[in-house]
Amino acid sequence: MAEQLEFNSKNFLNHISLDCVIFGFHNNELKVLMLHLKHTKEYTLPGGFLKIDETLEQAAQRILKERTGLGQIFLKQFKVFSDPERSKDNKAIKDATESGFPPDMDFFSKRFITIGFYALVDFSKVKPTPDLFSDKCEWMTPNAEVPMLLDHKAIISDALAVLRVQLNQQPIGLKLLPKKFTMPQLQKLYETILGRELDRRNFQRKILSYKILNKLEERKTGGAYKAPFYYEFDLKRYQQALQDGLKGSW
Amino acid sequence: MAEQLEFNSKNFLNHISLDCVIFGFHNNELKVLMLHLKHTKEYTLPGGFLKIDETLEQAAQRILKERTGLGQIFLKQFKVFSDPERSKDNKAIKDATESGFPPDMDFFSKRFITIGFYALVDFSKVKPTPDLFSDKCEWMTPNAEVPMLLDHKAIISDALAVLRVQLNQQPIGLKLLPKKFTMPQLQKLYETILGRELDRRNFQRKILSYKILNKLEERKTGGAYKAPFYYEFDLKRYQQALQDGLKGSW
DNA sequence: TTAAACTTGTGTCATTTCGACACAATATTA
DNA sequence: TAATATTGTGTCGAAATGACACAAGTTTAA
């Protein structure tokens, strides 16, 4: 916060913003990290603006670090939202004002296009951190029926759709799960993203056929019923396999 | 041209540009439509800026119409290029000046991020049309070894990579081929995009298994050797099949 | 005019993958 | 200690895949 810059066109490019859909996986459910605005009570995606000397990816990493404490996060641009009407009636402005941080209206009142990023993080490593305008930073289910800022609901839904399509091209399991995980966990992740159930035995056969997993000796104890084995990703093989795109469809 | 607007921040949003990689298929080769700058002799992608009241997609359609004569073109955003250095030393400025259209430097000298689109068109329907700053508008091979403006070479190469990945999710054949086409043509298109050869008989079996093609009675005459049958896409089935993504990989 | 060259149309066959399902093993719960 | 739920592993027929052969049609060369 020490070097918090003012949001104005000296420090940031006009008209351009970023919004990040940060996915995590917990209790066998896909989650999205969101902020809750103090006054207008709307939920918003972590987002921000582009400094005059940084790339969009750098800006996204900067924003993600502030909300999660993590660096080097896996992220991908997935769509630019450019409807001229989308940034009209931005309640965040009102909220900032009421929070005691009246924004530079010459910057804020302009039309914005926003570049949508999705990020994949290890849920257990994130320390959700609100910003100056929000009273909460918390994990939500992607289709939560709560009021959201501007078009953020559509942004989340588009991110999910992209995630589904890119399941075989991106290291989605690797980035969303902890280092050690069980086969049922991995399966639930796939099922959640795909939105349908998979046969347990066929799933295992197929995912093992990619040869991107190492089976560990250790079993996951403490849970209910029979203890499943832990697996970890074989980084080199995973990277290699993604090059071609994992064959077959789900 | 009648209502050609001046490029300045009254009419267009600062910092934001678009570049379109327009793909066509001709003589069994994939082509990209490019402009050739009159004075600096560099090739550039058709591009432009975002008007204050239009979406990026509308802007892209506007730009495409001017260069191809076509409307309702199939296009997709694929990536935003945001390196702060990318728009330094923009030779197009020099070129515009020498062409007798000195640009509004308050607009042009700023840093630009550019939204990359790819477009798929029926080669035979395009009327390549140069703009005020270029002396040629012509089809080139995507990896032509010619000087290109800024990072346009990288933009093309990224577009091709995206095209490859999206071959099973987008109506690529439908948009790139004429209404009637032969099986060898379709295969060549797939081979070109994938960058490798496919077995003629297996290709036919697989593509037919999707049931998105209608075989016509007519054969393509005039060519060399045995006359192949014409096919056309079954629009409804194709659209439906793309919803799920064509199963299997190539 | 005829044969050679080349492309297209169609089919076969062994192998691999896929979808549906059974059963034994193991840990917790009642 | 038995019932219950979950995990580990395997089987089977159907479907998809990769490699390849041969006949038929059209142009080209002799």
Side-chain angles (χ1 to χ4, degrees), chain B residues 18-20 22 46-51 54-77 117-121 175:
Chain B
L18 298 77
D19 285 296
C20 302
I22 308 173
F49 307 103
L50 183 62
K51 285 190 191 172
E54 68 185 356
T55 67
L56 284 166
E57 283 71 19
Q58 288 164 349
Q61 290 287 357
R62 171 172 55 76
I63 291 161
L64 292 187
K65 178 136 209 173
E66 287 170 8
R67 296 297 137 256
T68 66
L70 300 180
Q72 305 255 47
I73 289 181
F74 177 89
L75 54 81
K76 284 245 155 218
Q77 300 176 18
F117 281 81
Y118 74 81
L120 306 176
V121 301
K175 299 297 179 181

Side-chain angles (χ1 to χ4, degrees), chain A residues 8-13 50-54, chain B residues 15 84 111:
Chain A
N8 61 40
S9 44
K10 244 204 184 105
N11 301 315
F12 296 90
L13 266 62
L50 183 61
K51 285 189 192 173
I52 51 172
D53 61 349
E54 66 184 358
Chain B
H15 303 298
R111 169 188 168 192

Side-chain angles (χ1 to χ4, degrees), chain B residues 15-80:
Chain B
H15 303 298
I16 299 170
S17 66
L18 298 77
D19 285 296
C20 302
V21 183
I22 308 173
F23 288 107
F25 194 67
H26 185 60
N27 283 342
N28 281 342
E29 284 177 29
L30 198 62
K31 306 279 189 181
V32 172
L33 193 66
M34 299 203 77
L35 298 164
H36 184 256
L37 291 175
K38 284 178 189 167
H39 297 91
T40 50
K41 314 288 188 193
E42 284 186 330
Y43 283 89
T44 90
L45 290 169
F49 307 103
L50 183 62
K51 285 190 191 172
I52 51 172
D53 61 350
E54 68 185 356
T55 67
L56 284 166
E57 283 71 19
Q58 288 164 349
Q61 290 287 357
R62 171 172 55 76
I63 291 161
L64 292 187
K65 178 136 209 173
E66 287 170 8
R67 296 297 137 256
T68 66
L70 300 180
Q72 305 255 47
I73 289 181
F74 177 89
L75 54 81
K76 284 245 155 218
Q77 300 176 18
F78 70 93
K79 184 173 172 184
V80 184

Side-chain angles (χ1 to χ4, degrees), chain B residues 199 201-202 205-206 223 225-227:
Chain B
D199 181 272
R201 294 147 288 186
N202 294 339
R205 180 177 55 193
K206 183 159 181 173
Y225 310 115
K226 182 169 179 177

Side-chain angles (χ1 to χ4, degrees), chain A residues 144-162:
Chain A
E145 293 289 342
V146 296
M148 290 190 195
L149 188 72
L150 303 175
D151 52 358
H152 287 199
K153 203 165 267 186
I155 294 177
I156 293 174
S157 132
D158 282 5
L160 250 174
V162 170

Side-chain angles (χ1 to χ4, degrees), chain B residues 43-196:
Chain B
Y43 283 89
T44 90
L45 290 169
F49 307 103
L50 183 62
K51 285 190 191 172
I52 51 172
D53 61 350
E54 68 185 356
T55 67
L56 284 166
E57 283 71 19
Q58 288 164 349
Q61 290 287 357
R62 171 172 55 76
I63 291 161
L64 292 187
K65 178 136 209 173
E66 287 170 8
R67 296 297 137 256
T68 66
L70 300 180
Q72 305 255 47
I73 289 181
F74 177 89
L75 54 81
K76 284 245 155 218
Q77 300 176 18
F78 70 93
K79 184 173 172 184
V80 184
F81 297 81
S82 64
D83 187 330
E85 307 293 315
R86 69 170 290 282
S87 46
K88 298 249 174 92
D89 187 32
N90 185 344
K91 300 221 175 101
I93 295 175
K94 186 177 162 225
D95 210 278
T97 307
E98 294 185 11
S99 298
F101 303 95
D104 178 339
M105 287 307 287
D106 185 52
F107 179 77
F108 265 90
S109 68
K110 289 204 166 80
R111 169 188 168 192
F112 276 88
I113 69 170
T114 200
I115 289 89
F117 281 81
Y118 74 81
L120 306 176
V121 301
D122 181 346
F123 182 95
S124 65
K125 293 196 174 154
V126 172
K127 293 194 203 323
T129 312
D131 62 15
L132 290 173
F133 318 113
S134 48
D135 50 18
K136 288 187 287 189
C137 179
E138 57 184 20
W139 292 101
M140 318 259 299
T141 75
N143 47 7
E145 294 288 341
V146 296
M148 291 191 194
L149 188 71
L150 303 175
D151 51 358
H152 288 199
K153 203 165 267 188
I155 294 177
I156 293 174
S157 132
D158 282 5
L160 250 174
V162 169
L163 205 59
R164 193 164 303 173
V165 171
Q166 299 193 350
L167 192 54
N168 280 345
Q169 273 97 47
Q170 302 299 336
I172 292 180
L174 172 64
K175 299 297 179 181
L176 280 175
L177 294 172
K179 199 159 202 142
K180 294 188 305 186
F181 53 89
T182 66
M183 194 57 77
Q185 271 183 290
L186 183 59
Q187 182 181 342
K188 273 284 184 300
L189 174 57
Y190 270 69
E191 289 179 336
T192 305
I193 292 175
L194 292 171
R196 63 192 172 87

